[in-house]
């Protein structure tokens, strides 16, 4: 494939934008080479500025569940834009989307819209602290909850990909209020809770992790967290930025049958536009300004274009048919990849939940950050570039989950599996 125009654009971008990108994972640093610059996308396919076509397995990191440039979302945004793009005043569509989200997600009465998943998680923790009057939180190693200070401690995603899981710039004071536990280690959480009894406001977790690859929770672990939080008066916060409206209409809570106290959303709830949200029962949400004292605000929050995209997306997903089809396609991909890698004797572990899946180049199970980090990154690099050269776009980091979209057809999946068959000999 020819990446000439992408290379030229990347060079120019680096002059004006740090690292040439507006979010680190995009820079391809973990896999080497030049990031491809997107020209356009439709359905399952991305087209770069050099005219190459790729089957897209990241779907803008999750939100495009029904594929790129999905018609109902497009027309909703275009129609809305003609009526004005931002007011900083209330609009009816905010309530419409809020009511629909509340009807789809278990265990919430109210929702507040913000502009990104980062904002959602940051605000959720402030609310939890304001509600409980406690300062400390527990987060899990390898989980990523956006880039606000309290979470950039042993974070996953780009933070770990670029060797800064605990970022400079986060003060010692902030860091000491974030306690760390291992994903899927209930015993470790119990010890931490005992050690800090009476100090903990919240426990925040990706109920299915997607920022150390895809890592499912052990049912005993996730149910155990619920029990500990209820017994100790700690709020359980599910970061459903990736899983919300993707794994099921009711997100991970529905799939895992575990109730959280505060839910964080992003990506999907904006149909691919910049939206985040956090939600809980009234008893908790009434502590939020202007009703209560916990402050949170934003001029672009509830932006009409973003709300219209989110509303069109959730209406489509609420019909419920997509989830079965997506899970079946993802299972088909899983089997196909597994067969090829087995045939070529390439050690691997594949994790999958619904339409989230990741391939780890190791022979052991991947259940937490330590086991995810022990994958063979050299093989991953060859795999990523090999697939890219065949027209398959995968996450450019071993620490990210793939997200399938329902525009991907079985022909696309066969093409992807055949691409892997072609490059498999080079993975040794
Ligand atoms: N943190 C995102 C994936 N987990 C990547 C965002 C981006 O680079 O667009």
């Amino acid at each position: 494939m020819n990446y000439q125009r992408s290379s030229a654009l990347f060079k120019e971008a680096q002059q004006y934008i740090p690292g040439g990108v507006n979010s680190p994972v995009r820079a391809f640093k973990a896999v080497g080479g030049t990031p491809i610059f997107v020209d356009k996308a439709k359905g399952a396919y991305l087209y770069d500025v050099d005219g190459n076509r790729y089957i897209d397995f990241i779907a803008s990191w999750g939100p495009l569940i029904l594929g790129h440039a999905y018609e109902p979302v497009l027309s909703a945004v275009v129609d809305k834009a003609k009526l004005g793009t931002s007011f900083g005043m209330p609009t009816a569509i905010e309530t419409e989307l809020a009511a629909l989200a509340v009807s789809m997600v278990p265990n919430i009465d109210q929702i507040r819209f913000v502009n990104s998943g980062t904002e959602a998680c940051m605000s959720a923790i402030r609310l939890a602290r304001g509600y409980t009057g406690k300062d400390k939180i527990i987060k899990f190693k390898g989980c990523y909850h956006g880039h606000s200070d309290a979470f950039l401690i042993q974070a996953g995603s780009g933070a770990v990909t670029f060797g800064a899981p605990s970022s400079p710039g986060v003060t010692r004071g902030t860091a000491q209020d974030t306690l760390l536990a291992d994903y899927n280690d209930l015993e470790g959480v119990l010890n931490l809770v005992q050690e800090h009894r009476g100090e903990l406001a919240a426990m925040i977790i990706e109920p299915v992790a997607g920022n150390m690859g895809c890592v499912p929770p052990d049912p005993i672990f996730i149910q155990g967290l619920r029990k500990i939080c209820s017994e100790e008066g700690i709020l359980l916060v599910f970061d459903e930025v990736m899983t919300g409206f993707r794994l099921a209409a009711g997100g991970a809570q529905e799939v895992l049958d575990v109730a959280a106290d505060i839910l964080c959303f992003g990506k999907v709830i904006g149909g691919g536009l910049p939206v985040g949200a956090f939600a809980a029962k009234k008893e908790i949400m009434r502590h939020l300004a202007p009703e209560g004292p916990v402050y949170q605000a934003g001029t672009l929050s509830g932006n009409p274009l973003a709300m219209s995209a989110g509303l069109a997306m959730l209406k489509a997903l609420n019909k419920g048919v997509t989830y079965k089809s997506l899970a079946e396609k993802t299972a088909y991909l899983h089997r196909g990849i597994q067969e090829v890698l087995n045939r070529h004797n390439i050690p691997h572990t594949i994790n999958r939940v619904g339409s989230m899946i990741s391939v780890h180049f190791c022979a052991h199970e991947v259940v937490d950050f330590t086991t995810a980090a022990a994958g063979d990154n050299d093989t991953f690099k060859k795999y990523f570039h090999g697939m890219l050269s065949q027209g398959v776009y995968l996450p450019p980091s071993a620490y990210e989950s793939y997200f399938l979209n329902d525009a991907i057809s079985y022909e696309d999946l066969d093409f992807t599996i055949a691409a892997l068959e072609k490059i498999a000999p080079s993975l040794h």
Side-chain angles (χ1 to χ4, degrees):
M1 282 207 193
N2 171 10
Y3 304 117
Q4 234 173 339
R5 287 213 64 213
S6 278
S7 294
L9 286 173
F10 187 44
K11 211 166 153 206
E12 193 187 353
Q14 286 173 86
Q15 234 180 301
Y16 302 107
I17 302 172
V21 291
N22 283 307
S23 188
V25 177
R26 300 176 195 176
F28 273 26
K29 280 210 165 173
V31 289
T34 297
I36 57 162
F37 276 56
V38 179
D39 180 28
K40 59 183 182 186
K42 181 74 191 159
Y45 308 119
L46 288 169
Y47 300 86
D48 72 14
V49 288
D50 289 289
N52 303 309
R53 191 193 85 166
Y54 308 87
I55 301 171
D56 179 20
F57 284 96
I58 69 165
S60 187
W61 300 104
L64 308 176
I65 296 184
L66 300 165
H68 288 275
Y70 177 63
E71 194 47 50
V73 169
L74 281 190
S75 45
V77 173
V78 170
D79 291 350
K80 210 59 175 169
K82 289 179 184 155
L83 304 175
T85 54
S86 177
F87 310 114
M89 294 165 70
T91 55
I93 196 168
E94 292 163 69
T95 311
E96 215 184 324
L97 181 55
L100 180 55
V102 166
S103 75
M104 291 168 79
V105 177
N107 308 310
I108 63 170
D109 299 323
Q110 292 190 327
I111 188 162
R112 168 65 61 85
F113 292 111
V114 291
N115 299 290
S116 67
T118 292
E119 256 189 80
C121 294
M122 176 185 90
S123 309
I125 290 303
R126 187 182 306 135
L127 177 59
R129 285 174 167 152
Y131 176 78
T132 58
K134 311 276 165 64
D135 287 345
K136 292 197 189 302
I137 60 168
I138 292 180
K139 96 168 262 293
F140 293 84
K141 293 178 199 168
C143 283
Y144 178 75
H145 307 291
H147 60 91
S148 89
D149 287 2
F151 305 125
L152 282 183
I153 296 146
Q154 292 278 310
S157 186
V160 62
T161 306
F162 300 114
S166 308
S167 173
V170 175
T171 65
R172 222 168 288 142
T174 300
Q176 77 190 11
D177 283 333
T178 301
L179 309 174
L180 295 169
D182 286 306
Y183 204 87
N184 277 324
D185 175 15
L186 196 56
E187 186 81 24
V189 175
L190 265 172
N191 291 338
L192 216 45
V193 168
Q194 266 162 23
E195 216 179 295
H196 294 274
R197 181 155 280 145
E199 299 177 278
L200 288 157
M203 217 179 264
I204 184 165
I205 188 162
E206 292 177 71
V208 172
N211 284 294
M212 43 181 160
C214 171
V215 178
D218 186 302
I220 293 172
F221 167 72
I222 202 85
Q223 284 155 16
L225 295 187
R226 175 65 276 171
K227 189 162 176 282
I228 295 171
C229 285
S230 300
E231 286 170 2
E232 300 287 337
I234 301 166
L235 296 184
L236 181 60
V237 181
F238 274 6
D239 173 350
E240 294 229 41
V241 166
M242 289 178 170
T243 53
F245 307 101
R246 168 167 277 277
L247 294 185
Q253 282 194 108
E254 181 183 324
V255 171
L256 304 172
D257 194 21
V258 175
D261 298 305
I262 306 184
L263 281 303
C264 302
F265 300 102
K267 309 184 195 257
V268 188
I269 199 164
L273 267 74
V275 183
F278 58 105
K281 292 276 193 205
K282 259 191 198 141
E283 157 63 14
I284 296 174
M285 291 304 267
R286 70 181 176 79
H287 289 256
L288 206 57
E291 234 186 308
V294 178
Y295 199 71
Q296 186 280 322
T299 297
L300 288 168
S301 297
N303 172 270
L305 304 193
M307 295 292 102
S308 63
L311 189 61
M313 177 62 88
L314 292 204
K315 275 183 179 168
L317 293 173
N318 201 22
K319 293 185 188 133
V321 284
T322 310
Y323 298 109
K324 188 166 176 283
S325 148
L326 267 172
E328 283 169 3
K329 285 177 184 174
T330 312
Y332 184 86
L333 179 69
H334 183 156
R335 282 194 300 276
I337 293 177
Q338 196 163 42
E339 273 166 28
V340 175
L341 294 179
N342 279 342
R343 200 162 38 252
H344 290 267
N345 290 318
I346 296 161
H348 66 279
T349 291
I350 302 176
N351 282 350
R352 167 173 60 90
V353 180
S355 54
M356 293 169 67
I357 181 169
S358 56
V359 179
H360 302 260
F361 291 103
C362 58
H364 55 261
E365 280 191 322
V366 173
V367 296
D368 59 10
F369 179 66
T370 308
T371 46
D376 179 348
N377 203 43
D378 283 337
T379 307
F380 180 82
K381 284 184 200 173
K382 289 186 231 165
Y383 167 68
F384 171 79
H385 279 292
M387 295 302 273
L388 188 71
S389 72
Q390 297 296 316
V392 177
Y393 193 80
L394 302 175
S397 159
Y399 293 108
E400 305 284 355
S401 174
Y402 314 1
F403 299 98
L404 267 71
N405 71 74
D406 208 33
I408 295 177
S409 64
Y410 281 94
E411 288 72 36
D412 295 326
L413 295 175
D414 286 337
F415 180 95
T416 302
I417 295 160
L420 181 59
E421 181 68 52
K422 272 192 215 155
I423 66 144
S426 72
L427 298 183
H428 287 288

